[in-house]
Amino acid sequence: MSQKQILVTGGTGYIGSHTVVELQNQGYDVVIVDDLSNSDREVVDRIEKISGIRPHFEELNLIDAEGVNQLFKKYTKLTAVIHFAAFKAVGESVQAPLKYYQNNLVSLINLLNCMKEYDVPNMVFSSSCTVYGQPEELPVTENAPVQPAESPYGNTKQICEEILRDTVKAYPQLKAIALRYFNPVGAHKTALIGELPKGVPQNLVPFITQTAFGLRDQLSVFGNNYDTVDGSAVRDYIHVVDLAKAHIIAAERLLDGINEENYEYFNLGTGTGSSVLEVINAFEKVNGLPVKYKVVDRREGDIEKIWADTTIANEVLGWKAERGLDEMMSSAWAWEKAVREGDC
Ligand code: WQD
């Protein structure tokens, strides 16, 4: 049987690289397109080291419409697109909104135009629980109202979902699934791929691992006066490998034509909320290492607490997160050590 060819945009990034490995494990022929603005070409070598298969790689910024057109002209066997490529730093998006709107929206529009032009009917889109803002009810279900975004980054995710909804309605030969991630953390068990933010980490777990390694003096805990178990904010942390596996299931739902609507969306979380202090404690316990921290003021734009109702993803997608907080923390630490000790 000829391998089904899948385009993975942002495929040298954190979640993209883990998804490429899972796709290759399932026998798919993968084409990575990435502009390397937030990742390194070396990740292609590491993916090959893990799976034994070298994916095709194209360096391209997807806001280049003619470049995207040439890409679809070159890869004539594409059956689906998994679209990760986007800017995703909440704080940066507030400082540079036009950069975020141009990159995140134009990239998607260029892809959809070519998918229509070259008969590539299926898209899995990387969305975020950010679309919910601070939910009224918890756990949050897919039917919860989409709240006004807290940041331009979050707004681009909301607008992209609307673009998908309108596009598949106008062109019913296209179909899309949006996956609303909660908080992806952890790394592949080989410690060959993982989260490697450039500069000072914005997200909690890379800041914890860099503090534990001695690269940062101490972690700032943004507030401990929330209405939560210990006053620190609560999130639904999900292992990046669990997240990657969900993308294969979503792509196959479209490839096999078992989607019920042309546009579907699913929460990808564990269903369990953990506070910042609980994450720190889990990291210290499982790795036997202290994490120095101090409590400071709340961070602008943060919500208080969110965790997923995973019923629809469990029952309709047939997917469930399997890895717990301890494995998230131990794999994140193994990756940090491998990066800093040059083992990868
Ligand atoms: C988690 C918790 C912070 C850093 C954002 C996006 C989401 C996704 C993940 C892209 C919060 C606290 C953090 C620190 C801290 N982005 N924290 N000290 O903000 O929940 O989600 O990143 O895929 O779409 O919205 O993630 O890891 O930044 O923060 O106390 O140094 O950790 O206040 O409560 P967030 P985060």
Side-chain angles (χ1 to χ4, degrees):
M1 177 193 82
S2 75
Q3 286 177 315
K4 284 194 174 149
Q5 192 174 68
I6 296 191
L7 178 68
V8 179
T9 76
T12 51
Y14 174 38
I15 306 168
S17 56
H18 286 82
T19 301
V20 170
V21 166
E22 295 306 322
L23 283 167
Q24 292 185 321
N25 290 346
Q26 297 301 317
Y28 288 94
D29 175 25
V30 175
V31 180
I32 292 176
V33 58
D34 203 301
D35 67 359
L36 302 176
S37 60
N38 196 24
S39 59
D40 297 302
R41 185 187 292 269
E42 200 193 334
V43 171
V44 178
D45 303 330
R46 294 191 202 153
I47 289 170
E48 183 180 11
K49 228 170 171 179
I50 296 172
S51 67
I53 305 160
R54 190 170 188 80
H56 307 277
F57 177 77
E58 300 288 344
E59 183 177 353
L60 174 67
N61 185 324
L62 295 171
I63 64 172
D64 167 5
E66 184 45 33
V68 177
N69 187 48
Q70 292 306 316
L71 182 76
F72 276 74
K73 268 207 172 109
K74 178 174 178 182
Y75 292 96
T76 54
K77 299 199 311 284
L78 289 176
T79 57
V81 177
I82 303 182
H83 182 37
F84 293 102
F87 293 152
K88 60 152 207 160
V90 174
E92 184 190 45
S93 76
V94 174
Q95 307 306 322
L98 290 177
K99 177 182 166 188
Y100 271 67
Y101 286 113
Q102 180 179 40
N103 186 64
N104 292 5
L105 303 187
V106 173
S107 298
L108 176 64
I109 293 165
N110 286 342
L111 282 170
L112 290 169
N113 275 328
C114 283
M115 287 170 68
K116 186 160 69 67
E117 178 72 22
Y118 293 93
D119 295 328
V120 180
N122 307 301
M123 170 172 281
V124 176
F125 175 70
S126 167
S127 190
S128 167
C129 64
T130 303
V131 302
Y132 297 117
Q134 175 58 66
E136 295 292 312
E137 282 178 42
L138 289 169
V140 62
T141 72
E142 287 84 349
N143 303 320
V146 169
Q147 306 254 33
E150 307 270 342
S151 68
Y153 157 74
N155 203 24
T156 65
K157 289 301 178 184
Q158 291 180 4
I159 297 169
C160 283
E161 287 200 12
E162 289 308 318
I163 290 172
L164 289 171
R165 193 191 304 269
D166 292 343
T167 301
V168 301
K169 201 167 160 193
Y171 311 111
Q173 72 272 29
L174 299 180
K175 37 195 176 137
I177 289 178
L179 298 176
R180 293 173 175 173
Y181 309 159
F182 282 69
N183 284 59
V185 296
H188 194 266
K189 61 183 180 225
T190 59
L192 284 169
I193 51 176
E195 188 174 12
L196 195 58
K198 296 196 169 177
V200 178
Q202 299 300 305
N203 295 131
L204 175 65
V205 172
F207 209 109
I208 288 177
T209 57
Q210 289 191 16
T211 302
F213 198 83
L215 295 174
R216 309 281 164 202
D217 291 342
Q218 63 181 359
L219 168 74
S220 297
V221 172
F222 296 137
N224 69 347
N225 57 355
Y226 288 106
D227 178 18
T228 63
V229 58
D230 54 26
S232 63
V234 172
R235 297 290 184 274
D236 184 334
Y237 296 93
I238 176 168
H239 197 293
V240 65
V241 173
D242 281 330
L243 200 58
K245 288 175 181 291
H247 288 75
I248 287 65
I249 294 174
E252 290 180 344
R253 181 174 172 84
L254 295 174
L255 288 165
D256 300 343
I258 51 178
N259 53 299
E260 285 147 23
E261 305 289 337
N262 264 26
Y263 176 64
E264 298 177 313
Y265 44 96
F266 299 92
N267 285 345
L268 294 187
T270 65
T272 301
S274 301
S275 75
V276 174
L277 294 175
E278 285 171 335
V279 172
I280 294 170
N281 293 338
F283 180 91
E284 292 181 325
K285 184 168 66 64
V286 79
N287 295 307
L289 278 169
V291 175
K292 192 165 171 246
Y293 70 85
K294 70 178 183 317
V295 178
V296 299
D297 291 341
R298 296 179 177 189
R299 179 172 65 178
E300 188 68 30
D302 273 349
I303 61 166
E304 178 175 68
K305 51 192 170 190
I306 189 168
W307 59 93
D309 181 313
T310 60
T311 309
I312 294 181
N314 300 156
E315 291 177 2
V316 175
L317 270 190
W319 166 88
K320 189 167 172 50
E322 294 161 5
R323 292 156 183 81
L325 194 57
D326 284 355
E327 188 171 347
M328 295 178 214
M329 293 303 110
S330 58
S331 62
W333 177 237
W335 161 248
E336 185 70 50
K337 281 191 296 179
V339 168
R340 305 303 165 193
E341 290 162 2
D343 293 352
C344 71

